[in-house]
Amino acid sequence: MKIILGTSNFGAPYGISNPRKKLSTNEIKKILKIAKVNKISFLDTAYNYKNSEKIIGKFTNTDDFRIITKLPKIKNNLSLIESYIKKSLKRLRRKKLYAVLVHSIEDLNSPNLKKILHELNLFKKKKLIKKIGVSVYKVDNLNKIIKKNKIDIVQFPSSIFDLRFLNTNLLSKLKMRKIEILVRSIFLQGVIFLNSKKLKKKFKKDSKKIIEFKENLKNDRDKMINYCLSFINNYKDIDGIVLGIKEPKNLLQIISNNKRVSIKNVNKYAINNENILIPYNWKRIE
């Protein structure tokens, strides 16, 4: 299973466990070098990740990495798609993109999605994009999308805590349609690395499973990383994991702990409350 380097924090701090300033130029260069040396060949970014696309374009060569990017909100203005893609290509200093994903919640739930994907398909025919797809948050949304649209790639959150997509027949449905499956947020955007006091303050009773997980693994960061990676690696239909990091040593930890171990009780730490599973809900519980 391939590791895909998330670059959301290349231009600005990102994630609940990352209150520090944005990554420095030297840190970004180190991270990209570590990724390249360890044969990580995909970067995940977005038009709206502040300066991320520009930074990737500045510090990488065309042959170094394949790029997955995400569109901002389109709504009914389909002419924006061409503008966004051309600007992303210019920023990234690329002639083509591996994939472009629709990411706006509003667009994903809109009847206009079919038109947006149709426009993206025109760029695919021009060989400016290899794959078109969606980055989703909810199972029912993805089911509706694949029922009515043809896509090549999908990205969604999954982890030992978030089994919403995994405890269905979705993976097999996606594979039958030959759709590439990428998962993100396997560390709940770094939430699992917060101390128990902060977890309780932020998520109240919903922090119980995360605290139990941390205690069972003795708060050992290496063991937690290995467990989370192993859990996803045991799903053979998943093609890749998008991982964001906040400093170079985090990527080294991920690489060194990417060794599969058997997970016996997959439901042990499952959480059902979407207030904790979906990051855009977190502001509502502060």
Side-chain angles (χ1 to χ4, degrees):
M1 187 181 298
K2 60 180 176 267
I3 289 177
I4 298 157
L5 180 61
T7 65
S8 54
N9 61 340
F10 275 20
Y14 184 85
I16 192 172
S17 68
N18 187 24
R20 54 164 283 174
K21 61 184 181 180
K22 66 181 180 181
L23 288 164
S24 69
T25 297
N26 283 338
E27 286 176 312
I28 291 170
K29 285 180 178 177
K30 280 182 184 176
I31 288 165
L32 291 170
K33 185 177 180 180
I34 292 166
K36 188 177 177 182
V37 167
N38 287 278
K39 298 182 180 178
I40 294 172
S41 57
F42 285 84
L43 301 179
D44 176 86
T45 187
Y47 185 95
N48 278 347
Y49 290 167
K50 187 178 179 181
N51 293 326
S52 173
E53 290 185 333
K54 279 186 179 179
I55 290 166
I56 291 168
K58 185 176 180 180
F59 296 126
T60 68
N61 297 318
T62 305
D63 297 332
D64 288 343
F65 299 98
R66 284 175 276 185
I67 310 294
I68 299 164
T69 194
K70 296 178 277 293
L71 291 174
K73 190 187 297 181
I74 301 297
K75 296 180 78 172
N76 295 316
N77 195 350
L78 297 177
S79 63
L80 286 173
I81 296 172
E82 181 175 7
S83 170
Y84 288 144
I85 290 174
K86 285 184 175 178
K87 194 163 184 180
S88 285
L89 286 166
K90 185 178 179 181
R91 287 168 167 176
L92 291 159
R93 300 184 186 181
R94 297 296 198 274
K95 292 183 179 179
K96 58 185 177 180
L97 300 164
Y98 180 76
V100 174
L101 310 178
V102 180
H103 183 59
S104 159
I105 296 167
E106 195 171 326
D107 289 339
L108 291 167
N109 287 287
S110 167
N112 215 39
L113 178 62
K114 186 175 281 293
K115 291 180 181 178
I116 294 171
L117 290 169
H118 173 75
E119 288 296 311
L120 286 175
N121 204 45
L122 297 178
F123 289 94
K124 183 181 168 185
K125 287 179 180 176
K126 293 176 184 177
K127 300 192 183 302
L128 293 175
I129 301 170
K130 184 174 182 180
K131 297 189 175 189
I132 62 171
V134 294
S135 171
V136 299
Y137 296 90
K138 296 192 175 186
V139 174
D140 58 346
N141 187 207
L142 182 55
N143 271 318
K144 287 176 186 175
I145 289 169
I146 62 173
K147 188 175 180 181
K148 297 179 180 179
N149 304 277
K150 187 180 185 308
I151 60 172
D152 309 305
I153 185 169
V154 65
Q155 187 184 119
F156 52 76
S158 287
S159 67
I160 57 168
F161 310 103
D162 186 356
L163 305 182
R164 292 172 300 143
F165 290 86
L166 306 178
N167 277 355
T168 68
N169 65 344
L170 245 179
L171 294 184
S172 57
K173 268 205 271 187
L174 292 168
K175 277 299 152 188
M176 281 176 63
R177 289 167 169 78
K178 297 182 179 178
I179 296 171
E180 183 175 353
I181 302 169
L182 308 180
V183 300
R184 63 175 184 269
S185 299
I186 73 164
F187 306 129
L188 279 182
Q189 288 196 11
V191 163
I192 68 168
F193 303 119
L194 295 176
N195 65 48
S196 297
K197 187 176 179 181
K198 286 184 179 178
L199 283 167
K200 286 177 184 177
K201 184 178 179 182
K202 178 75 178 175
F203 299 113
K204 309 294 189 294
K205 64 180 182 180
D206 289 312
S207 64
K208 184 179 177 182
K209 290 287 186 179
I210 302 173
I211 292 170
E212 181 188 350
F213 164 76
K214 288 169 67 66
E215 289 175 349
N216 286 345
L217 294 176
K218 304 188 187 319
N219 278 299
D220 185 308
R221 190 182 179 97
D222 287 321
K223 288 180 180 177
M224 289 192 286
I225 289 171
N226 177 248
Y227 196 103
C228 291
L229 284 166
S230 292
F231 178 79
I232 296 298
N233 275 321
N234 281 312
Y235 287 88
K236 294 179 181 179
D237 286 334
I238 295 173
D239 299 292
I241 307 173
V242 180
L243 296 168
I245 57 169
K246 63 179 183 180
E247 53 189 325
K249 70 177 182 181
N250 294 154
L251 183 54
L252 289 170
Q253 277 185 309
I254 286 166
I255 291 164
S256 64
N257 286 294
N258 191 21
K259 300 166 187 173
R260 189 184 300 181
V261 297
S262 177
I263 307 292
K264 292 179 181 178
N265 183 359
V266 296
N267 295 299
K268 185 173 184 179
Y269 301 111
I271 297 171
N272 296 317
N273 189 347
E274 289 189 345
N275 279 338
I276 187 170
L277 296 178
I278 302 178
Y280 66 67
N281 287 329
W282 292 351
K283 287 182 181 178
R284 301 178 195 172
I285 55 176
E286 285 180 340

